Amino acid sequence: MKVTIKDVAKKSGVSVATVSLVLHGNPRISTETRKRVLKAIDDLDYQPSPLARGLVMRYTGNIGFVLTEDHFLRTEPFYTRIFLGTEFGARDSDHFVLLATIPTDFKNSDLLPRFITQKSVDGLIIAGKVPQAFLAKLMRYHLPIVFVDYYPPEGEFSAILMDNLRGGMMATRHLIELGHRNIAFLAGDLQHPSIKERYLGYQSALQQHGIPLNPELEVIKEKTTGKESGYKAVCTLMSRGVSFSAIFACNDAMAIGAMECLKERGLKIPDDISVVGFDDIESDVFQNPPLTTVSVPKYDMGIEAMQLMREMLKQKKRTTKKIIVPVKLIVRESTAVFNDSES
Protein backbone atom coordinates (compact mmCIF):
# COMPACT_ATOMS: atom_id res chain seq x y z
CA MET A 1 0.00 0.00 0.00
CA LYS A 2 1.35 3.41 -0.98
CA VAL A 3 2.75 5.53 1.85
CA THR A 4 1.02 8.91 2.23
CA ILE A 5 1.94 12.18 3.84
CA LYS A 6 -0.52 11.32 6.62
CA ASP A 7 1.53 8.19 7.40
CA VAL A 8 4.66 10.34 7.73
CA ALA A 9 2.84 12.80 9.98
CA LYS A 10 1.55 9.99 12.23
CA LYS A 11 4.94 8.29 12.54
CA SER A 12 6.77 11.54 13.33
CA GLY A 13 4.04 12.84 15.65
CA VAL A 14 3.39 16.09 13.79
CA SER A 15 0.67 17.53 11.55
CA VAL A 16 0.43 17.03 7.79
CA ALA A 17 1.12 20.75 7.37
CA THR A 18 4.37 20.41 9.33
CA VAL A 19 5.53 17.54 7.15
CA SER A 20 4.86 19.68 4.06
CA LEU A 21 6.79 22.61 5.54
CA VAL A 22 9.75 20.30 6.19
CA LEU A 23 9.60 19.03 2.60
CA HIS A 24 9.80 22.61 1.35
CA GLY A 25 12.62 23.63 3.70
CA ASN A 26 10.61 26.17 5.67
CA PRO A 27 12.96 27.86 8.19
CA ARG A 28 10.21 28.05 10.86
CA ILE A 29 10.57 24.32 11.59
CA SER A 30 12.94 23.48 14.45
CA THR A 31 15.99 21.30 13.87
CA GLU A 32 14.64 18.56 16.15
CA THR A 33 11.28 18.40 14.37
CA ARG A 34 12.93 18.43 10.96
CA LYS A 35 15.17 15.50 11.90
CA ARG A 36 12.19 13.52 13.21
CA VAL A 37 10.16 14.09 10.05
CA LEU A 38 13.06 13.31 7.72
CA LYS A 39 13.74 10.07 9.61
CA ALA A 40 10.09 9.07 9.22
CA ILE A 41 10.27 9.83 5.50
CA ASP A 42 13.38 7.69 5.19
CA ASP A 43 11.98 4.82 7.27
CA LEU A 44 8.72 4.74 5.29
CA ASP A 45 10.40 5.41 1.91
CA TYR A 46 7.84 8.16 1.30
CA GLN A 47 7.74 9.71 -2.20
CA PRO A 48 5.73 12.97 -2.09
CA SER A 49 3.46 13.58 -5.08
CA PRO A 50 2.94 17.02 -6.68
CA LEU A 51 -0.77 16.80 -5.85
CA ALA A 52 -0.13 16.12 -2.17
CA ARG A 53 2.27 19.05 -1.92
CA GLY A 54 -0.19 21.26 -3.74
CA LEU A 55 -3.06 20.52 -1.39
CA VAL A 56 -1.06 21.78 1.57
CA MET A 57 1.02 24.51 -0.02
CA ARG A 58 -1.81 25.76 -2.27
CA TYR A 59 0.03 25.30 -5.52
CA THR A 60 -0.57 22.87 -8.36
CA GLY A 61 2.85 22.39 -9.91
CA ASN A 62 1.32 23.27 -13.29
CA ILE A 63 2.28 26.13 -15.60
CA GLY A 64 -0.16 27.13 -18.33
CA PHE A 65 1.06 27.90 -21.84
CA VAL A 66 -1.37 29.97 -23.94
CA LEU A 67 -1.26 31.06 -27.58
CA THR A 68 -3.84 31.96 -30.21
CA GLU A 69 -5.14 29.34 -32.63
CA ASP A 70 -3.48 30.90 -35.68
CA HIS A 71 -0.08 30.65 -34.00
CA PHE A 72 -0.50 26.89 -33.76
CA LEU A 73 -0.60 26.35 -37.52
CA ARG A 74 1.85 23.92 -39.09
CA THR A 75 2.73 26.56 -41.68
CA GLU A 76 4.06 28.78 -38.91
CA PRO A 77 5.53 26.50 -36.22
CA PHE A 78 7.46 29.27 -34.49
CA TYR A 79 5.50 29.20 -31.23
CA THR A 80 5.33 25.42 -30.99
CA ARG A 81 9.13 25.43 -30.75
CA ILE A 82 8.90 27.94 -27.91
CA PHE A 83 6.40 25.63 -26.21
CA LEU A 84 8.86 22.76 -26.46
CA GLY A 85 11.49 25.02 -24.91
CA THR A 86 9.27 25.60 -21.87
CA GLU A 87 8.78 21.85 -21.57
CA PHE A 88 12.54 21.34 -21.72
CA GLY A 89 12.93 23.99 -19.01
CA ALA A 90 10.45 22.18 -16.76
CA ARG A 91 12.06 18.75 -16.99
CA ASP A 92 14.55 19.32 -14.18
CA SER A 93 11.87 20.70 -11.84
CA ASP A 94 8.59 19.52 -10.35
CA HIS A 95 6.55 21.62 -12.79
CA PHE A 96 4.36 20.46 -15.65
CA VAL A 97 3.37 22.53 -18.71
CA LEU A 98 -0.28 22.55 -19.84
CA LEU A 99 -1.11 23.86 -23.32
CA ALA A 100 -4.24 25.72 -24.40
CA THR A 101 -5.18 27.81 -27.43
CA ILE A 102 -7.63 30.71 -27.50
CA PRO A 103 -9.55 32.20 -30.44
CA THR A 104 -7.47 34.62 -32.47
CA ASP A 105 -10.35 37.11 -32.21
CA PHE A 106 -11.09 36.40 -28.53
CA LYS A 107 -14.17 38.33 -27.39
CA ASN A 108 -15.59 39.21 -23.99
CA SER A 109 -18.16 36.44 -24.41
CA ASP A 110 -15.49 33.77 -24.98
CA LEU A 111 -14.39 31.50 -22.16
CA LEU A 112 -10.91 31.44 -20.68
CA PRO A 113 -9.01 28.13 -20.76
CA ARG A 114 -10.37 25.84 -18.06
CA PHE A 115 -7.04 25.49 -16.29
CA ILE A 116 -7.32 29.21 -15.51
CA THR A 117 -10.93 29.30 -14.35
CA GLN A 118 -10.49 26.11 -12.33
CA LYS A 119 -7.29 27.48 -10.77
CA SER A 120 -5.29 24.49 -11.96
CA VAL A 121 -2.12 26.45 -12.81
CA ASP A 122 0.30 28.50 -10.70
CA GLY A 123 1.30 30.85 -13.51
CA LEU A 124 0.99 31.50 -17.23
CA ILE A 125 3.41 31.73 -20.13
CA ILE A 126 1.75 33.57 -23.02
CA ALA A 127 3.39 33.28 -26.44
CA GLY A 128 2.76 35.79 -29.20
CA LYS A 129 0.20 38.55 -29.47
CA VAL A 130 -3.10 37.92 -27.68
CA PRO A 131 -6.30 40.01 -27.78
CA GLN A 132 -6.81 42.71 -25.17
CA ALA A 133 -10.19 41.16 -24.29
CA PHE A 134 -8.40 37.99 -23.20
CA LEU A 135 -5.94 39.93 -21.04
CA ALA A 136 -8.75 41.94 -19.44
CA LYS A 137 -10.47 38.73 -18.35
CA LEU A 138 -7.22 37.11 -17.30
CA MET A 139 -6.16 39.94 -14.97
CA ARG A 140 -8.97 39.07 -12.55
CA TYR A 141 -7.10 35.92 -11.56
CA HIS A 142 -3.89 37.70 -10.48
CA LEU A 143 -1.61 34.99 -11.86
CA PRO A 144 2.14 35.42 -12.41
CA ILE A 145 2.64 35.90 -16.16
CA VAL A 146 5.62 35.72 -18.51
CA PHE A 147 5.08 36.95 -22.07
CA VAL A 148 7.16 35.58 -24.95
CA ASP A 149 7.55 37.54 -28.19
CA TYR A 150 4.91 40.05 -27.11
CA TYR A 151 4.51 42.87 -24.63
CA PRO A 152 1.02 44.27 -23.96
CA PRO A 153 0.40 47.98 -24.55
CA GLU A 154 -0.87 48.35 -20.98
CA GLY A 155 0.62 47.15 -17.71
CA GLU A 156 4.06 45.96 -16.65
CA PHE A 157 5.09 42.33 -16.97
CA SER A 158 8.02 39.97 -17.28
CA ALA A 159 8.84 39.07 -20.87
CA ILE A 160 11.25 37.19 -23.10
CA LEU A 161 11.75 39.17 -26.29
CA MET A 162 14.00 38.89 -29.32
CA ASP A 163 16.10 41.64 -30.85
CA ASN A 164 13.67 42.29 -33.70
CA LEU A 165 15.01 45.74 -34.52
CA ARG A 166 18.55 44.49 -35.00
CA GLY A 167 17.26 41.46 -36.90
CA GLY A 168 15.36 43.69 -39.32
CA MET A 169 18.47 45.78 -39.85
CA MET A 170 20.64 42.70 -40.42
CA ALA A 171 18.30 41.26 -43.05
CA THR A 172 18.03 44.54 -44.94
CA ARG A 173 21.74 45.30 -44.65
CA HIS A 174 22.55 41.87 -46.09
CA LEU A 175 20.52 42.72 -49.22
CA ILE A 176 22.09 46.17 -49.47
CA GLU A 177 25.59 44.68 -49.26
CA LEU A 178 24.67 42.42 -52.18
CA GLY A 179 23.98 45.53 -54.24
CA HIS A 180 20.17 45.73 -53.92
CA ARG A 181 18.56 49.13 -53.63
CA ASN A 182 14.91 48.51 -54.46
CA ILE A 183 14.07 46.27 -51.51
CA ALA A 184 10.44 45.45 -50.81
CA PHE A 185 9.08 44.78 -47.32
CA LEU A 186 6.14 42.43 -46.73
CA ALA A 187 4.25 42.21 -43.44
CA GLY A 188 0.96 41.47 -41.77
CA ASP A 189 -0.38 42.57 -38.39
CA LEU A 190 1.90 45.57 -38.06
CA GLN A 191 0.39 46.21 -34.62
CA HIS A 192 2.35 43.23 -33.32
CA PRO A 193 5.41 44.76 -31.57
CA SER A 194 7.82 42.22 -33.10
CA ILE A 195 6.62 42.84 -36.65
CA LYS A 196 6.69 46.60 -36.15
CA GLU A 197 10.28 46.48 -34.85
CA ARG A 198 11.40 44.43 -37.86
CA TYR A 199 9.77 47.04 -40.08
CA LEU A 200 11.59 49.82 -38.23
CA GLY A 201 14.84 47.88 -38.64
CA TYR A 202 14.20 47.67 -42.39
CA GLN A 203 13.60 51.41 -42.62
CA SER A 204 16.59 52.24 -40.43
CA ALA A 205 18.99 50.17 -42.56
CA LEU A 206 17.82 51.87 -45.74
CA GLN A 207 18.20 55.32 -44.21
CA GLN A 208 21.67 54.52 -42.85
CA HIS A 209 22.77 53.64 -46.40
CA GLY A 210 21.21 56.71 -47.96
CA ILE A 211 18.44 54.78 -49.72
CA PRO A 212 15.16 56.71 -49.87
CA LEU A 213 12.10 55.06 -48.36
CA ASN A 214 9.52 54.14 -50.97
CA PRO A 215 5.99 53.36 -49.69
CA GLU A 216 5.26 51.61 -53.00
CA LEU A 217 7.75 48.92 -51.98
CA GLU A 218 5.92 48.24 -48.71
CA VAL A 219 2.98 45.85 -48.39
CA ILE A 220 2.18 46.01 -44.70
CA LYS A 221 -1.59 45.74 -44.38
CA GLU A 222 -2.07 42.00 -44.59
CA LYS A 223 -4.21 40.76 -41.69
CA THR A 224 -2.05 37.74 -40.90
CA THR A 225 1.54 36.63 -41.37
CA GLY A 226 0.89 33.23 -42.93
CA LYS A 227 2.03 31.80 -46.24
CA GLU A 228 -1.17 32.89 -48.00
CA SER A 229 -0.58 36.48 -46.88
CA GLY A 230 2.93 36.38 -48.32
CA TYR A 231 1.56 35.14 -51.64
CA LYS A 232 -1.08 37.88 -51.73
CA ALA A 233 1.44 40.55 -50.70
CA VAL A 234 3.66 39.81 -53.71
CA CYS A 235 0.63 39.88 -56.00
CA THR A 236 -0.21 43.31 -54.59
CA LEU A 237 3.37 44.48 -54.98
CA MET A 238 3.60 43.39 -58.60
CA SER A 239 0.25 44.96 -59.45
CA ARG A 240 1.74 48.35 -58.55
CA GLY A 241 4.26 48.09 -61.36
CA VAL A 242 7.11 49.15 -59.07
CA SER A 243 10.62 47.82 -59.76
CA PHE A 244 12.25 45.67 -57.04
CA SER A 245 15.11 43.21 -56.95
CA ALA A 246 14.77 41.89 -53.40
CA ILE A 247 12.15 41.14 -50.74
CA PHE A 248 12.44 41.14 -46.98
CA ALA A 249 9.41 39.36 -45.51
CA CYS A 250 8.57 39.88 -41.85
CA ASN A 251 8.63 36.11 -41.22
CA ASP A 252 9.46 32.87 -42.99
CA ALA A 253 5.85 31.89 -43.65
CA MET A 254 5.28 35.07 -45.65
CA ALA A 255 8.64 34.65 -47.37
CA ILE A 256 7.70 31.12 -48.49
CA GLY A 257 4.36 32.36 -49.81
CA ALA A 258 6.15 35.18 -51.62
CA MET A 259 8.52 32.72 -53.28
CA GLU A 260 5.59 30.66 -54.56
CA CYS A 261 4.01 33.73 -56.16
CA LEU A 262 7.30 34.78 -57.76
CA LYS A 263 7.83 31.32 -59.24
CA GLU A 264 4.31 31.26 -60.67
CA ARG A 265 5.08 34.56 -62.37
CA GLY A 266 8.13 32.97 -64.03
CA LEU A 267 10.73 34.72 -61.84
CA LYS A 268 13.82 32.90 -60.66
CA ILE A 269 15.11 33.08 -57.07
CA PRO A 270 17.67 34.50 -56.51
CA ASP A 271 18.64 35.26 -60.14
CA ASP A 272 15.74 37.67 -60.60
CA ILE A 273 14.60 38.36 -57.03
CA SER A 274 16.40 37.75 -53.74
CA VAL A 275 14.26 36.82 -50.71
CA VAL A 276 14.96 37.00 -46.97
CA GLY A 277 12.70 35.79 -44.17
CA PHE A 278 12.74 35.93 -40.38
CA ASP A 279 12.46 33.14 -37.75
CA ASP A 280 14.44 30.23 -39.30
CA ILE A 281 11.72 27.59 -39.19
CA GLU A 282 12.72 24.02 -40.00
CA SER A 283 11.16 23.93 -43.47
CA ASP A 284 13.43 26.76 -44.67
CA VAL A 285 16.20 24.38 -45.68
CA PHE A 286 13.76 22.34 -47.79
CA GLN A 287 12.63 25.29 -49.90
CA ASN A 288 13.83 25.60 -53.47
CA PRO A 289 16.10 27.44 -53.03
CA PRO A 290 16.76 27.20 -49.27
CA LEU A 291 15.68 30.42 -47.56
CA THR A 292 18.05 33.05 -46.21
CA THR A 293 16.61 34.19 -42.88
CA VAL A 294 17.18 35.70 -39.46
CA SER A 295 17.47 32.91 -36.91
CA VAL A 296 15.69 33.18 -33.57
CA PRO A 297 16.65 30.86 -30.65
CA LYS A 298 13.09 29.59 -30.18
CA TYR A 299 13.87 26.75 -27.78
CA ASP A 300 16.06 29.07 -25.69
CA MET A 301 13.22 31.58 -25.44
CA GLY A 302 10.98 28.88 -24.00
CA ILE A 303 13.65 27.75 -21.56
CA GLU A 304 14.23 31.35 -20.43
CA ALA A 305 10.48 31.88 -19.98
CA MET A 306 10.19 28.82 -17.75
CA GLN A 307 13.22 29.86 -15.72
CA LEU A 308 11.75 33.32 -15.20
CA MET A 309 8.42 31.80 -14.14
CA ARG A 310 10.13 29.48 -11.68
CA GLU A 311 11.97 32.43 -10.16
CA MET A 312 8.71 34.31 -9.63
CA LEU A 313 7.03 31.32 -8.03
CA LYS A 314 10.01 30.69 -5.77
CA GLN A 315 10.15 34.33 -4.67
CA LYS A 316 6.34 34.46 -4.45
CA LYS A 317 6.18 37.81 -6.18
CA ARG A 318 5.59 39.06 -9.69
CA THR A 319 8.43 40.82 -11.47
CA THR A 320 8.77 43.06 -14.52
CA LYS A 321 12.01 41.63 -15.86
CA LYS A 322 12.69 41.77 -19.60
CA ILE A 323 15.18 39.51 -21.32
CA ILE A 324 16.24 40.26 -24.91
CA VAL A 325 17.66 37.28 -26.78
CA PRO A 326 20.04 37.82 -29.71
CA VAL A 327 19.32 36.86 -33.33
CA LYS A 328 21.65 36.04 -36.22
CA LEU A 329 21.55 36.06 -40.00
CA ILE A 330 21.61 32.66 -41.73
CA VAL A 331 22.66 33.06 -45.37
CA ARG A 332 21.39 30.35 -47.71
CA GLU A 333 20.64 30.26 -51.44
CA SER A 334 17.64 32.60 -51.79
CA THR A 335 19.82 35.72 -51.94
CA ALA A 336 22.49 36.70 -54.46
CA VAL A 337 24.48 39.65 -55.73
CA PHE A 338 22.34 42.05 -57.73
CA ASN A 339 23.42 42.35 -61.36
CA ASP A 340 22.41 45.83 -62.45
CA SER A 341 22.93 44.97 -66.14
CA GLU A 342 19.89 42.68 -65.96
CA SER A 343 17.53 45.36 -64.68
Side-chain angles (χ1 to χ4, degrees), residues 45-56:
D45 192 24
Y46 171 61
Q47 300 294 326
S49 69
L51 179 58
R53 292 198 300 269
L55 289 172
V56 177

Side-chain angles (χ1 to χ4, degrees), residues 92-145:
D92 62 347
S93 71
D94 56 356
H95 291 101
F96 299 90
V97 186
L98 307 181
L99 172 67
T101 61
I102 61 171
T104 304
D105 59 346
F106 189 97
K107 304 177 183 66
N108 290 328
S109 57
D110 289 326
L111 299 176
L112 292 171
R114 282 181 296 174
F115 59 50
I116 297 174
T117 58
Q118 295 178 1
K119 299 182 180 179
S120 300
V121 292
D122 303 316
L124 283 182
I125 295 173
I126 300 176
K129 182 182 177 183
V130 289
Q132 193 61 34
F134 167 73
L135 294 178
K137 270 195 169 185
L138 176 61
M139 291 303 110
R140 303 170 193 169
Y141 290 83
H142 306 288
L143 284 166
I145 300 173

Side-chain angles (χ1 to χ4, degrees), residues 126 130 132 135 139 145 147 150-159 193:
I126 300 176
V130 289
Q132 193 61 34
L135 294 178
M139 291 303 110
I145 300 173
F147 285 92
Y150 182 64
Y151 200 87
E154 299 178 5
E156 294 185 354
F157 303 92
S158 287

Side-chain angles (χ1 to χ4, degrees), residues 49-343:
S49 69
L51 179 58
R53 292 198 300 269
L55 289 172
V56 177
M57 299 304 292
R58 295 185 180 179
Y59 83 99
T60 68
N62 298 325
I63 305 299
F65 186 98
V66 177
L67 72 168
T68 55
E69 293 166 352
D70 63 324
H71 285 151
F72 207 63
L73 298 174
R74 285 189 296 174
T75 53
E76 192 180 1
F78 180 86
Y79 294 106
T80 57
R81 300 296 180 265
I82 292 176
F83 170 74
L84 287 175
T86 64
E87 203 277 327
F88 295 158
R91 287 182 181 178
D92 62 347
S93 71
D94 56 356
H95 291 101
F96 299 90
V97 186
L98 307 181
L99 172 67
T101 61
I102 61 171
T104 304
D105 59 346
F106 189 97
K107 304 177 183 66
N108 290 328
S109 57
D110 289 326
L111 299 176
L112 292 171
R114 282 181 296 174
F115 59 50
I116 297 174
T117 58
Q118 295 178 1
K119 299 182 180 179
S120 300
V121 292
D122 303 316
L124 283 182
I125 295 173
I126 300 176
K129 182 182 177 183
V130 289
Q132 193 61 34
F134 167 73
L135 294 178
K137 270 195 169 185
L138 176 61
M139 291 303 110
R140 303 170 193 169
Y141 290 83
H142 306 288
L143 284 166
I145 300 173
V146 175
F147 285 92
V148 183
D149 187 36
Y150 182 64
Y151 200 87
E154 299 178 5
E156 294 185 354
F157 303 92
S158 287
I160 309 296
L161 306 170
M162 69 192 84
D163 198 344
N164 290 291
L165 182 66
R166 184 168 181 269
M169 294 178 67
M170 290 167 60
T172 310
R173 189 180 298 126
H174 168 65
L175 294 169
I176 294 172
E177 290 172 350
L178 290 174
H180 298 278
R181 291 297 179 269
N182 295 324
I183 302 170
F185 180 79
L186 311 181
D189 190 14
L190 205 59
Q191 297 305 310
H192 191 303
S194 292
I195 304 301
K196 186 174 183 179
E197 287 178 3
R198 294 171 195 179
Y199 175 51
L200 293 175
Y202 158 79
Q203 291 184 320
S204 179
L206 292 178
Q207 291 173 328
Q208 288 179 10
H209 288 80
I211 301 174
L213 302 179
N214 183 355
E216 289 295 301
L217 289 172
E218 300 173 359
V219 183
I220 56 178
K221 294 185 179 180
E222 293 296 319
K223 292 183 179 180
T224 67
T225 56
K227 187 168 69 173
E228 297 81 3
S229 294
Y231 186 99
K232 287 172 54 182
V234 170
C235 292
T236 298
L237 182 66
M238 298 187 75
S239 69
R240 294 175 180 174
V242 62
S243 176
F244 63 96
S245 64
I247 291 174
F248 170 32
C250 74
N251 71 353
D252 289 344
M254 288 195 77
I256 292 169
M259 290 169 69
E260 289 185 5
C261 182
L262 292 171
K263 291 174 185 177
E264 288 185 8
R265 300 294 182 97
L267 295 169
K268 296 180 179 179
I269 305 167
D271 296 348
D272 298 318
I273 307 290
S274 287
V275 180
V276 178
F278 201 115
D279 285 345
D280 194 23
I281 61 177
E282 291 181 5
S283 62
D284 288 353
V285 296
F286 300 110
Q287 299 304 312
N288 182 24
L291 181 64
T292 294
T293 187
V294 176
S295 180
V296 177
K298 297 171 280 294
Y299 295 108
D300 291 345
M301 292 180 75
I303 292 171
E304 290 280 3
M306 179 55 70
Q307 179 60 35
L308 195 49
M309 175 59 67
R310 288 168 61 182
E311 288 176 7
M312 281 197 285
L313 294 176
K314 184 178 181 180
Q315 297 170 5
K316 297 182 179 179
K317 65 177 182 179
R318 281 177 281 181
T319 64
T320 57
K321 185 176 182 181
K322 289 184 182 180
I323 297 176
I324 309 296
V325 299
V327 297
K328 62 180 180 180
L329 182 71
I330 305 295
V331 179
R332 298 193 179 103
E333 297 169 32
S334 66
T335 53
V337 174
F338 175 60
N339 188 342
D340 191 43
S341 64
E342 298 179 1
S343 61

